[in-house]
Amino acid sequence: MASLRIDLHTHSTKSDGTDTPEGLIAAAAAAKLDVVALTDHDTTGGWDAAAAVLPTGMQLVRGAEFSCVSATGRGGRDVAVHLLGYLFDPTHSTIVAEQVRLRSERLERLHRMVAKMAADGYPVDAETVLSFLPDGASAGRPHLARALVAAGVVGSVNEAFVKLLNNGSPYYMPMSDTPVGTAIDMVRAAGGVAVFAHPLARLRGRCVEPSVIVELASAGLAGVEVDHPDHAPADRALLRGLAADLDLVVTGSSDYHGTNKTTPMGAETTAPEAFEELVSRTAGVGVLSG
Ligand code: AMP
Ligand code: FE
Ligand code: FE
Ligand code: ZN
């Protein structure tokens, strides 16, 4: 039998992707995936809709990408980092409370970014930005980016980030994210496993030093996303070596966002043994089979 095709990081319209959860499962089938994880930012709101349309033979890993903050490991200011949590109990009270808080932070921060851009003369307003955000979804910069595209300020979501919304831009506003060690504890307490998402996506801004990954490994981190579209070959090699030394599971994922990004579903994948190892460390909700 051919090896399973496994993509452990995707986003739907419940956060900043453009496919509904149902559409995302259809896209996973079209990409000939055997296993797909739904990992919206700070919400589990798409889990049930995705599960309801799971085709025979496909497996769904229910997860989320948590907005976190970390020290860089070399002094300096803290950096925003993302943590993938898989197969945790979505009713765990700490997780529920923290996700509610983060979604509220996201919305408030988006309003502040819009106000700052409008004050500088950009043709954006909250109403237009919110028209790209379904009720209850996690707000993010891509929603503002789409409003900027619609207004003709930029030609694409990517151009909006490069010119106006990246982490170094005057319009970028940080939010009050969860300390990454706390987020790992929270995911584990709810029976899940935690994987460090795209730790060396350098184009997005400053990243952590390897020493931080060493510390997090002893604090319960289970894996590290090595094969990611935003990782350079040298950084993948560095992370692979680090993972081997620290006994961390190596994952690979597309970080699919529908048309908000150009990467197709299944562009990067995770080895079946790595997937099995992650699942074996969970005690929350199981992998769903269609
Ligand atoms: P936020 O969650 O509001 O901080 O926005 C970060 C999100 O923006 C990431 O999760 C990505 O989905 C998206 N993003 C970052 N850089 C780009 C880019 N160059 N093009 C498209 N989307 C991007
Ligand atoms: Fe995103
Ligand atoms: Fe991310
Ligand atoms: Zn992501």
Side-chain angles (χ1 to χ4, degrees):
M1 205 181 100
S3 179
L4 296 182
R5 267 170 61 70
I6 304 169
D7 188 339
L8 294 182
H9 185 169
T10 71
H11 297 264
S12 77
T13 47
K14 291 293 176 183
S15 63
D16 56 3
T18 59
D19 289 358
T20 60
E22 294 90 343
L24 184 137
I25 295 298
K32 302 217 172 343
L33 290 184
D34 302 291
V35 180
V36 65
L38 176 61
T39 53
D40 278 310
H41 296 283
D42 305 316
T43 183
T44 58
W47 285 14
D48 291 349
V53 297
L54 201 60
T56 306
M58 191 185 289
Q59 296 178 63
L60 175 65
V61 177
R62 291 166 290 176
E65 187 172 17
F66 294 85
S67 301
C68 299
V69 61
S70 169
T72 57
R74 238 198 219 170
R77 282 175 300 146
D78 291 350
V79 285
V81 298
H82 288 170
L83 187 78
L84 291 159
Y86 297 113
L87 301 170
F88 55 87
D89 172 4
T91 66
H92 192 275
S93 58
T94 317
I95 291 204
V96 171
E98 190 60 359
Q99 291 197 328
V100 166
R101 188 189 72 78
L102 286 165
R103 290 199 297 275
S104 147
E105 279 271 329
R106 284 179 161 279
L107 193 58
E108 189 263 330
R109 169 255 212 164
L110 196 64
H111 276 108
R112 283 191 283 126
M113 289 182 70
V114 170
K116 183 153 195 213
M117 294 194 81
D120 279 357
Y122 286 96
V124 284
D125 60 82
E127 198 186 338
T128 311
V129 174
L130 295 182
S131 73
F132 291 103
L133 188 70
D135 267 354
S138 277
R141 281 176 277 169
H143 299 103
L144 172 52
R146 285 174 70 189
L148 290 165
V149 173
V153 175
V154 287
S156 69
V157 168
N158 182 54
E159 191 186 338
F161 271 88
V162 171
K163 292 193 172 157
L164 294 162
L165 303 180
N166 60 76
N167 293 14
S169 153
Y171 299 110
Y172 172 72
M173 308 254 176
M175 37 179 229
S176 160
D177 293 328
T178 315
V180 64
T182 306
I184 292 173
D185 290 346
M186 196 168 80
V187 168
R188 294 181 79 207
V193 272
V195 172
F196 198 150
H198 49 72
L200 298 180
R202 298 189 196 276
L203 285 177
R204 300 187 189 193
R206 271 172 310 119
C207 297
V208 298
E209 293 294 321
S211 63
V212 171
I213 300 178
V214 175
E215 280 167 28
L216 294 178
S218 51
L221 184 73
V224 63
E225 197 174 53
V226 173
D227 292 310
H228 182 281
D230 294 355
H231 280 167
D235 287 329
R236 294 183 191 214
L238 185 157
L239 288 170
R240 227 179 283 283
L242 203 56
D245 291 347
L246 299 170
D247 201 21
L248 290 170
V249 176
V250 167
T251 69
S253 308
S254 65
D255 201 355
Y256 175 77
H257 279 71
T259 58
N260 275 347
K261 288 190 183 175
T262 53
T263 314
M265 182 98 75
E268 312 265 4
T269 54
T270 296
E273 307 72 47
F275 171 56
E276 273 168 34
E277 177 62 30
L278 283 180
V279 174
S280 76
R281 296 192 197 184
T282 63
V285 298
V287 177
L288 289 177
S289 293

